[in-house]
Amino acid sequence: DNLRAVVLMNIAMLAFTLNDTCMKLVTQSLPLYQAITLRGVLTTLALLAVAAGQGVRLGGLSRPDGRVVGLRTLAEVAATVTFLTALLHMPLANLSAIMQSLPLLVTLGAALVFGERIGWRRLLAIALGLVGVLLIIKPGTEGFDRWSVLGLLSVAAVVVRDLSTRKLSPAVPSVVVAVWAGAAVTGLGLLGMAFTGWQPMGLYEGALILGATIN
């Protein structure tokens, strides 16, 4: 099970990287919230098709699971808006480096929230990793700006998202969680578009949105 989880996590990280690259490129020519909306609509429709194919009902969650899904969805929305806004204004390499602190903070959060034992070696690795993040964001220097802060806020939101997922009952299908997250992010995009408007797009932008959706 651990080996399979490691393989799946590496595939997921590759998909995240491709997703981020597509979104970075498309937001050079399209408004951010338009890109979020287009990706969100396509993603949500794809997830709904998966749910229908699996015969999964989107409702019927228990009250505890419903609260966890609600918290996770809010964290997903916060992570999306902070990450993509930072991505629009920061080099992808810098923001990706900041996001590499995520596994460290999730591990630390699991110890603090769930009481999991992590040992001194992992604590040392976490400390060294966070020092590396400080070297990247350069707090207290002219290289530190609000976009770096948004990157850190995105990390915090993803930590909340991932830790809350741990509290879901095993009986809750993952596609249900993903549909609610996708729908909420799409709603965020539509709300943002009310202020930033819509811009015509070509095949290039459409291909990038499709690439982000697939990944």
Side-chain angles (χ1 to χ4, degrees):
D1 288 342
N2 284 339
L3 179 60
R4 182 165 61 249
V6 168
V7 172
L8 290 174
M9 183 59 71
N10 277 278
I11 294 173
M13 293 306 297
L14 173 62
F16 288 147
T17 301
L18 295 174
N19 184 336
D20 297 343
T21 302
C22 289
M23 291 300 286
K24 175 70 172 179
L25 291 172
V26 79
T27 51
Q28 303 304 305
S29 54
L30 288 183
L32 172 62
Y33 287 99
Q34 179 178 343
I36 291 175
T37 300
L38 291 171
R39 185 189 67 172
V41 168
L42 294 177
T43 300
T44 303
L45 289 175
L47 290 170
L48 286 172
V50 171
Q54 295 178 351
V56 173
R57 293 176 52 212
L58 299 181
L61 296 174
S62 66
R63 183 171 297 178
D65 283 332
R67 286 196 294 264
V68 173
V69 170
L71 174 61
R72 188 192 184 282
T73 300
L74 288 175
E76 181 78 46
V77 170
T80 298
V81 69
T82 51
F83 178 82
L84 291 178
T85 303
L87 182 63
L88 183 61
H89 296 90
M90 288 180 64
L92 177 58
N94 289 15
L95 184 56
S96 295
I98 292 174
M99 296 300 292
Q100 294 309 307
S101 64
L102 179 58
L104 305 175
L105 293 176
V106 169
T107 301
L108 182 60
L112 296 175
V113 176
F114 302 123
E116 294 187 3
R117 297 184 61 184
I118 58 178
W120 68 270
R121 293 181 181 84
R122 288 186 180 177
L123 282 174
L124 179 59
I126 290 171
L128 292 175
L130 295 180
V131 169
V133 173
L134 292 177
L135 292 175
I136 295 164
I137 64 176
K138 300 180 178 66
T141 72
E142 62 180 14
F144 183 71
D145 56 25
R146 62 185 182 277
W147 311 122
S148 298
V149 174
L150 280 180
L152 293 175
L153 290 176
S154 179
V155 170
V158 176
V159 169
V160 173
R161 182 198 69 186
D162 290 353
L163 291 180
S164 62
T165 304
R166 178 71 178 274
K167 298 295 291 182
L168 283 172
S169 302
V172 177
S174 59
V175 68
V176 172
V177 180
V179 166
W180 284 111
V185 170
T186 304
L188 165 73
L190 290 170
L191 180 62
M193 279 181 55
F195 300 95
T196 60
W198 176 275
Q199 180 175 310
M201 51 182 279
L203 290 176
Y204 173 71
E205 289 83 4
L208 289 173
I209 291 293
L210 182 60
T213 300
I214 293 172
N215 289 294

